[in-house]
Amino acid sequence: MRTIIIAANWKMNKSIEEAHRFALEVHESCKDKEIPGLVPIIAPAYPYLGLLADVAKNCVLEIAAQDVSAHLEGAFTGEVSAAMLASMDIKYAIVGHSERRQYHHESNELIREKLAALQYYGLTPILCIGESLNERDEGNTYKVLGTQLEGCLRGINIHAPQDLIIAYEPVWAIGTGRTATGEQAQEAHAYVRAWLAKNYSKKLAKSISIIYGGSVTPANLGALLAMPDIDGGLIGGASLVFENYRQMIYIAMQKLGVVHD
Ligand code: PEP
């Protein structure tokens, strides 16, 4: 059974008080609980990482960075290294989000360097890939996903599930309120898993969590999780509201059979 990941990507939202209160509420509802098979993650803005990492101690909640430097250390003003994240007990970082590809012109090669830096310090990269609406309409979805996977993972060793999480995020579904149907997402996830099987091994491909992102809400998460290759969500807008996040954790727990209605 693969790990289900419910990851909140807060982007550049929330004051420090709001972020803190939210994390305390999650801590309060999760403390002393083990939820085998489920990892709830919050990716807040950089300045809040330390505070939230402290709240998440002794709790199933994990904190992720939204990005990382490709460089290991040195004169890179404004950058934060994987080593710095590791020293704060941060175990996950998002790389290759479509907003960074679009607004910061990040290439697959740069994303690969970031991924390698994270792995070097033992963090799990959450690698985002996904096609634009044009690319989908032109029938190029798999070609785009294959190019992104090849460009971001060439030469990258993956031995175990904690070495990589992949987030399939069709760009046309991010922040638009237009979610991929369970079937559309499943097709893309199956392609990604087959790519991993071909380029690594079947055993590894079966063990890697592939999560879906793009206008996920408590209303559509259940249908997505019902698909055989969808192992959770990377959730932007809807994750900003605590009640939504709580409900999405609950839906994942239902999927695991840990709770029943
Ligand atoms: C995201 O930012 O990764 C995302 C999927 O955003 P939203 O859920 O708002 O579409």
Side-chain angles (χ1 to χ4, degrees):
M1 184 81 163
R2 287 184 293 272
T3 304
I4 296 186
I5 312 286
I6 299 294
N9 176 16
W10 282 353
K11 311 189 188 194
M12 202 171 69
N13 289 297
K14 291 197 184 292
S15 67
I16 192 157
E17 290 81 13
E18 289 165 344
H20 193 202
R21 198 176 327 119
F22 191 120
L24 287 172
E25 283 186 87
V26 177
H27 182 269
E28 190 52 36
S29 56
C30 291
K31 72 170 185 247
D32 310 325
K33 268 193 206 134
E34 286 218 11
I35 317 175
L38 174 65
V39 179
I41 298 178
I42 293 176
Y46 254 107
Y48 309 161
L49 282 174
L51 180 65
L52 266 59
D54 276 350
V55 174
K57 264 184 198 144
N58 310 317
C59 167
V60 291
L61 178 65
E62 294 285 352
I63 303 302
Q66 295 178 14
D67 186 33
V68 69
S69 176
H71 304 285
L72 296 188
E73 66 174 343
F76 300 101
T77 302
E79 298 265 274
V80 175
S81 71
M84 292 169 180
L85 296 176
S87 73
M88 293 164 72
D89 266 342
I90 304 291
K91 299 196 187 74
Y92 299 85
I94 299 169
V95 285
H97 192 280
S98 66
E99 287 153 14
R100 295 213 59 88
R101 292 178 190 259
Q102 186 182 348
Y103 304 130
H104 302 272
H105 312 292
E106 292 198 1
S107 64
N108 290 325
E109 288 65 34
L110 177 69
I111 294 162
R112 185 176 69 230
E113 286 172 24
K114 292 184 172 197
L115 215 144
L118 290 172
Q119 283 196 342
Y120 187 78
Y121 285 99
L123 280 90
T124 304
I126 304 175
L127 168 65
C128 300
I129 57 170
E131 80 288 359
S132 68
L133 191 55
N134 264 355
E135 289 163 340
R136 172 164 282 265
D137 288 346
E138 286 165 6
N140 288 329
T141 298
Y142 297 151
K143 193 171 151 214
V144 170
L145 296 182
T147 303
Q148 291 176 340
L149 287 167
E150 167 65 23
C152 295
L153 294 177
R154 193 182 316 122
I156 298 283
N157 291 320
I158 310 171
H159 302 291
Q162 62 270 23
D163 292 341
L164 182 71
I165 294 167
I166 296 183
Y168 168 61
E169 298 210 304
V171 179
W172 48 270
I174 298 178
T176 60
R178 186 179 159 189
T179 326
T181 62
E183 290 72 21
Q184 281 172 323
Q186 167 56 29
E187 276 174 13
H189 283 229
Y191 171 85
V192 173
R193 207 174 297 290
W195 189 94
L196 290 171
K198 186 167 164 227
N199 290 276
Y200 291 91
S201 72
K202 274 191 187 155
K203 189 168 170 236
L204 186 89
K206 274 191 193 157
S207 72
I208 296 283
S209 297
I210 305 176
I211 63 178
Y212 168 80
S215 299
V216 174
T217 67
N220 57 32
L221 180 64
L224 290 160
L225 287 183
M227 296 293 149
D229 287 297
I230 301 183
D231 308 313
L234 179 56
I235 304 129
S239 75
L240 292 168
V241 178
F242 173 73
E243 182 51 24
N244 286 339
Y245 189 67
R246 193 195 64 74
Q247 279 183 34
M248 291 189 277
I249 302 286
Y250 193 82
I251 291 164
M253 288 166 73
Q254 284 177 321
K255 156 92 182 170
L256 286 165
V258 184
V259 290
H260 307 278
D261 314 285

